[in-house]
Amino acid sequence: MAKQYDAKSIEVLSGLDPVRKRPGMYTDTSCPNHLIQEVLDNAVDEALAGHCSQIKINLFKDGFIEVSDDGRGMPTDVHPEHKVSGVELILCKLHAGAKFSGEDYNFSGGLHGVGVSVVNALSTNLSATIKRDGKIHQMSFSGGEKSKELKVTGEVGNRNTGTSIRFIPDPQYFESSKVDVKKLKHLLKAKSVLCPGLKISFSSEFKKDDKETWEYPNGLEGYLGDEIKDEEFLLKDSILSSKSNEDNSIDFVINWVMNNSKKLLNESYVNLIPTAQGGSHLNGFKSGLLDAIKEFCEFRNLLPKGIKLTSDDTINHAAFVVSSKLKNPQFAGQTKERLDSKDHQSFVSAATKDSLSIWFNQHTEEAELIADLAIESAQKRSKEVKTVARKKTFQGPALPGKLSDCNSIDLNETELFLVEGDSAGGSAKQARERGFQAIMPLRGKILNTWDLESSEIIKSQEIKDLATAMGVNPGETDLSNLRYGKICILADADSDGLHIATLLCALFLRHYKNLIQDGRIYVAMPPLFRIDCAKEKFYAVDEKEKDKIVKELGSKKGNPKIDIQRFKGLGEMNPSQLRETVMDPATRKLVQLTIDSKDNVNAMMDLLLSKKRAGDRKTWLEKKGKIARVDI
């Protein structure tokens, strides 16, 4: 007998239980590196606020990891509302921190009050030692639960302050309990580079004399040379830039190499947190770089006829580090690998363009060499990529499964329909208005691109054909080659069709976000039912709309006969029905994809499609599968 579903079935996770239940939502579970980074970020935030000058990281043979700093030290006094010490509140309660208001930290990486409490939740043992107000305070935890109360264990000078967190990651939550030392050292070096004057020391007992110290009083200067030692740079001195206002700042260093090396350094950071997946700050940097080089080329008439530069052309030979700082950054998730703050992108783009434009005009000879590299890349790309030209009517029909193009080239009217299957594609070709509507049939479910890089997904023939048809490659920010004003996803109204539409939405959200932001992406709403009553006909996109129509028709006098037809798919609809319901601008239903800063769309898509979230999906389906519904 199935368990009764009532109020008793509702489970409320308290304290740190949510972290232990779903560790993958809060940290990278491949190894403990991200736990170290969470503690490190708190120390670096103290440095950013001007209260810390030295951080030490130690790895011990007994499994303990220690991160210590000379910052102000965690608050040890009792919180007036929660009646526990600041130390206990920070380490035992999610979303507890001093970085929400921005009063104590102007720019910070710890934003959600989650990081160090996650470390506590996923550690078998953790102890905190705080030097503050002339005293040494200590507190211990086991499995995330308090094992020893906060107490004073000694005295120090009033100027001797700081925090030391010592913990052992619980191996049950990680694929490997070993710290990736190489990645950790690279991170520590980058943190020191990005925070001038901060001294970071590392030591490990696992390897003899494994000790290193990093300190860069001059910040980014010299960092590229240290990381890329065997490359010949185009510029004798790398371009350095620093711009800021009250809420944002951008620092970057960039240089170009003579050959197309695969060892180029391309790194981006937000509030000193590495963003492996880039985001709005990196997009803004690339956009500003492209605009500056295009402006320089156009002013000096350097571009050959027919050649258009893209952001990929301008960074093809470039090595760079981008460091953004901003108040209240919006990250894609707790691991903070990608920035989603839209307003910051425009600031970075404008600041980058202004800075580079000035430099190019002051160093015209070097700037022409940089422009030559970009032009050479664009020429090479134009030879390799064969763009689909507009098909004329005398050329005959397109090959099955390929693009059936329209005649117009006006973005104000052209539309591309991405249609599920060859059968539906055939009907759509007959239903379309050839003058401005193009049809691109898709064969089944496309590749799940959510976890993949843009450079990887283009290897899929289906996506490559789609990119060629649209005129824009995945990840490309330049929309000057876009061939259609509207790109419409047209899939069946059933669950399989919704799956295909979801995969396409994921493709555009992850790799063509600028198309969504530009208002170019739409989802067509084909009907699931046709209702006939006497000489009238109606279409319904789902059961709810069908029931409403049937109820209204049933209330008419004379009890008219009502016939209901359920479409199995788009291929079952004849061209006239398809034209009326999804293609005729006067009668169709189109939903425009939009992104709002308040939406949790990235988190939801991550739950639905990320390979790393398979366990979370299974749990979600087990708990909510029976009550799940689709609102169309």
Side-chain angles (χ1 to χ4, degrees), residues 2 36 71 74 110-111 173 211 327 333 407 509 604:
I36 301 174
M74 287 183 180
L111 304 164
Y173 298 114
K211 297 180 180 180
K327 291 182 178 179
N407 297 327
L509 181 62
M604 177 55 68

Side-chain angles (χ1 to χ4, degrees), residues 371-521:
D372 287 342
L373 282 178
I375 293 169
E376 181 183 343
S377 175
Q379 290 173 326
K380 184 178 179 181
R381 173 176 50 81
S382 64
K383 292 178 181 178
E384 292 177 349
V385 180
K386 295 181 179 179
T387 305
V388 175
R390 291 286 183 206
K391 297 180 179 68
K392 304 302 180 182
T393 54
F394 60 78
Q395 288 181 302
L399 294 173
K402 296 296 181 181
L403 176 70
S404 293
D405 211 350
C406 56
N407 297 327
S408 175
I409 58 173
D410 184 0
L411 286 184
N412 292 321
E413 63 175 6
T414 52
E415 300 175 349
L416 173 64
F417 282 83
L418 309 179
V419 185
E420 175 190 349
D422 289 341
S423 177
S427 295
K429 290 173 190 176
Q430 297 180 57
R432 68 174 175 145
E433 173 55 58
R434 185 185 294 270
F436 64 93
Q437 290 179 329
I439 307 297
M440 182 76 176
L442 303 175
R443 295 179 177 176
K445 294 179 175 68
I446 69 161
L447 178 70
N448 180 0
T449 63
W450 188 251
D451 285 334
L452 302 177
E453 295 292 332
S454 297
S455 58
E456 289 293 319
I457 69 169
I458 199 67
K459 296 176 184 177
S460 164
Q461 189 61 46
E462 195 79 11
I463 293 175
K464 185 177 182 180
D465 290 343
L466 176 56
T468 305
M470 293 190 300
V472 181
N473 287 322
E476 196 172 286
T477 57
D478 182 12
L479 300 183
S480 60
N481 293 324
L482 183 65
R483 304 176 71 245
Y484 303 96
K486 284 188 176 74
I487 297 167
C488 310
I489 299 170
L490 176 54
D492 290 347
D494 58 16
S495 57
D496 279 343
L498 292 174
H499 186 193
I500 291 171
T502 301
L503 290 172
L504 285 167
C505 288
L507 170 68
F508 289 116
L509 181 62
R510 179 69 87 193
H511 303 282
Y512 289 99
K513 195 170 184 178
N514 50 343
L515 287 179
I516 297 178
Q517 293 170 337
D518 208 31
R520 301 293 187 183
I521 308 300

Side-chain angles (χ1 to χ4, degrees), residues 332 450 509 595-607:
W450 188 251
L509 181 62
I595 306 174
D596 189 272
S597 58
K598 299 178 181 178
D599 291 341
N600 65 341
V601 61
N602 281 298
M604 177 55 68
M605 294 297 270
D606 203 58
L607 174 63

Side-chain angles (χ1 to χ4, degrees), residues 35 49 51 129 150 162 214 220 364 369 411 413 452 457 490 566 568 625 632:
L35 294 189
H51 304 293
T129 302
L150 181 69
W214 300 274
L220 290 173
T364 54
L369 294 176
L411 286 184
E413 63 175 6
L452 302 177
I457 69 169
L490 176 54
R566 188 184 192 280
K568 294 180 180 179
I632 300 180

Side-chain angles (χ1 to χ4, degrees), residues 93-280:
K93 191 172 183 62
L94 295 175
H95 308 295
K99 301 164 187 175
F100 299 110
S101 66
E103 294 178 2
D104 293 276
Y105 297 89
N106 191 29
F107 299 123
S108 67
L111 304 164
H112 311 124
V114 169
V116 76
S117 57
V118 170
V119 178
N120 190 20
L122 303 181
S123 297
T124 55
N125 291 284
L126 183 145
S127 63
T129 302
I130 298 97
K131 297 176 183 177
R132 188 180 173 107
D133 302 324
K135 298 177 181 178
I136 300 175
H137 307 257
Q138 288 187 328
M139 190 172 190
S140 300
F141 303 84
S142 179
E145 302 296 332
K146 179 173 61 176
S147 58
K148 290 184 180 179
E149 295 284 353
L150 181 69
K151 64 179 182 179
V152 176
T153 59
E155 295 184 357
V156 291
N158 286 326
R159 293 186 179 182
N160 190 351
T161 60
T163 301
S164 177
I165 302 294
R166 184 182 174 97
F167 63 97
I168 298 181
D170 192 332
Q172 68 173 308
Y173 298 114
F174 299 92
E175 297 172 18
S176 171
S177 59
K178 293 183 179 180
V179 174
D180 189 328
V181 175
K182 184 178 180 181
K183 285 186 178 179
L184 177 60
K185 286 183 177 180
H186 181 78
L187 174 68
L188 298 178
K189 181 178 181 180
K191 293 280 190 183
S192 181
V193 169
L194 298 169
C195 191
L198 175 62
K199 181 180 180 180
I200 300 181
S201 302
F202 169 85
S203 70
S204 172
E205 291 184 348
F206 290 95
K207 190 176 179 181
K208 187 178 181 180
D209 298 326
D210 191 4
K211 297 180 180 180
E212 282 192 66
T213 299
W214 300 274
E215 186 174 14
Y216 290 84
N218 297 323
L220 290 173
E221 191 172 2
Y223 181 48
L224 285 184
D226 287 348
E227 289 297 302
I228 309 175
K229 298 177 181 178
D230 301 325
E231 299 293 337
E232 182 184 355
F233 281 116
L234 183 68
L235 306 177
K236 181 180 179 181
D237 297 314
S238 299
I239 302 174
L240 290 162
S241 175
S242 181
K243 298 275 186 179
S244 64
N245 59 23
E246 186 176 346
D247 298 322
N248 305 270
S249 80
I250 174 67
D251 295 87
F252 68 82
V253 58
I254 187 170
N255 206 327
W256 286 260
V257 296
M258 301 304 292
N259 54 19
N260 195 6
S261 173
K262 293 183 180 180
K263 297 180 181 179
L264 292 177
L265 185 72
N266 298 157
E267 294 180 350
S268 63
Y269 298 82
V270 172
N271 294 357
L272 273 67
I273 294 174
T275 45
Q277 297 179 13
S280 50

